[in-house]
Amino acid sequence: MENRFVKPYGDTFNDGIVQLSFTLPSKDRFVAIEAAKVLLSKMGIKDVKIATVEQVLEGFFFFVVYGSVIHEIDLEQIRPIVPDYVKMSKEEVEEFAKKNINKKIVIVGATIGTDSHTVGLDSILNMKGFKGEKGLEAYKCFKVYNLGPQVLPAELVNKIKELEAEVVLVSQTITQKNMHLKNLTELVDLLDAEDLREKVILICGGSRIDHKLAKELGYDAGFGPNTTPSDVASFIIQSYVKKLKSEKEENR
């Protein structure tokens, strides 16, 4: 039976051992070390061991530390917010699409704003895929347009209209000063202004993206690190079919 109350695991079960890294501003190395200990104590970490402390710049010290947390987590109180879908294989997605739709779903993907990182986007869209799975370009039920990096939200909206996209997948890796929030919000606002938001399935992904954040920003789903193409494909096809059925019922 699963243990209800847990701590992080290090050497023995529930010993609470964690590893942290952080940088503190200080002109003096020894002041920085004592400040780090005080900080960790306030965080509920005891038996602190400083593995390394290095001056990375003048007035800044980088720490790697170990310690044991005093807090425990009640797993029965945890309610994760995750996308609503049943994970399918590529073959299952294609079979599901064959039974429920008679066309290819048009998908447009891009890295928006000034973000030039496409590794995450490409791992989901490109034929070669990720973790042994083929990307969405390899699916018979999808027509994929990968617009690549540094696509301004306004340009993406124009492409959505031009290609008559039904699914939009955007990636954000650069998060300094919350630029990802600005870019993602701007895209939703522009889609609303063009009366396109409800016409597309809107998905975002990235290193600091999760489903909770995505929903708060107005997206249908958010996928974080280690997402595989079949995760996104499963969500797309199931959401698309639900949307079709809902529209048919409304038109009766």
Side-chain angles (χ1 to χ4, degrees):
M1 188 175 75
E2 185 178 51
N3 290 274
R4 175 177 175 179
F5 297 96
V6 299
K7 290 181 179 180
Y9 172 88
D11 297 318
T12 57
F13 184 75
N14 267 7
D15 58 12
I17 299 298
V18 295
Q19 175 184 332
L20 298 175
S21 61
F22 53 87
T23 301
L24 285 180
S26 175
K27 295 181 179 179
D28 184 272
R29 175 187 180 88
F30 297 104
V31 171
I33 291 172
E34 291 305 311
K37 292 178 181 178
V38 172
L39 172 65
L40 293 165
S41 175
K42 289 185 175 183
M43 294 171 64
I45 299 176
K46 61 181 182 178
D47 302 326
V48 173
K49 299 176 180 62
I50 296 178
T52 185
V53 52
E54 303 289 342
Q55 184 171 350
V56 291
L57 291 171
E58 184 176 354
F60 293 91
F61 290 88
F62 174 73
F63 290 84
V64 175
V65 303
Y66 296 87
S68 177
V69 298
I70 62 175
H71 306 294
E72 61 184 12
I73 302 299
D74 181 356
L75 293 180
E76 292 191 4
Q77 299 300 315
I78 303 300
R79 302 289 184 269
I81 300 175
V82 296
D84 180 19
Y85 70 97
V86 176
K87 187 176 176 69
M88 297 175 169
S89 67
K90 175 177 177 291
E91 292 71 26
E92 289 172 329
V93 168
E94 291 177 335
E95 183 61 25
F96 186 78
K98 187 177 180 180
K99 290 180 179 179
N100 291 280
I101 59 177
N102 57 7
K103 63 181 289 295
K104 287 192 174 187
I105 300 172
V106 179
I107 300 173
V108 172
T111 297
I112 58 175
T114 57
D115 198 329
S116 61
H117 298 77
T118 62
V119 173
L121 180 72
D122 292 342
S123 70
I124 300 300
L125 296 183
N126 285 5
M127 185 77 70
K128 62 183 179 181
F130 177 60
K131 285 194 171 182
E133 293 186 8
K134 292 290 186 181
L136 302 193
E137 288 180 347
Y139 284 65
K140 297 176 183 177
C141 53
F142 300 143
K143 176 62 176 176
V144 177
Y145 296 90
N146 186 345
L147 305 183
Q150 296 184 324
V151 179
L152 296 179
E155 294 174 357
L156 178 55
V157 170
N158 288 334
K159 276 294 183 180
I160 292 169
K161 291 190 290 186
E162 176 189 332
L163 299 171
E164 297 182 341
E166 297 160 292
V167 178
V168 180
L169 179 61
V170 294
S171 176
Q172 288 285 263
T173 300
I174 293 179
T175 59
Q176 286 91 336
K177 297 184 178 180
N178 287 326
M179 279 302 297
H180 62 305
L181 301 182
K182 176 183 178 297
N183 291 331
L184 293 171
T185 301
E186 182 180 350
L187 177 59
V188 172
D189 289 343
L190 288 172
L191 288 172
D192 279 333
E194 295 286 342
D195 196 28
L196 289 172
R197 175 61 193 92
E198 298 305 317
K199 297 178 181 178
V200 298
I201 296 171
L202 187 59
I203 302 169
C204 61
S207 57
R208 285 178 59 187
I209 303 296
D210 60 23
H211 187 58
K212 182 175 183 293
L213 174 62
K215 294 295 286 185
E216 289 173 351
L217 295 177
Y219 287 71
D220 293 305
F223 290 92
N226 294 316
T227 297
T228 63
S230 66
D231 288 310
V232 180
S234 298
F235 178 82
I236 288 173
I237 194 64
Q238 291 167 34
S239 298
Y240 189 86
V241 170
K242 285 179 185 177
K243 193 167 182 284
L244 282 182
K245 290 179 178 179
S246 177
E247 290 173 352
K248 287 180 180 178
E249 290 176 0
E250 289 177 1
N251 293 329
R252 283 180 182 174

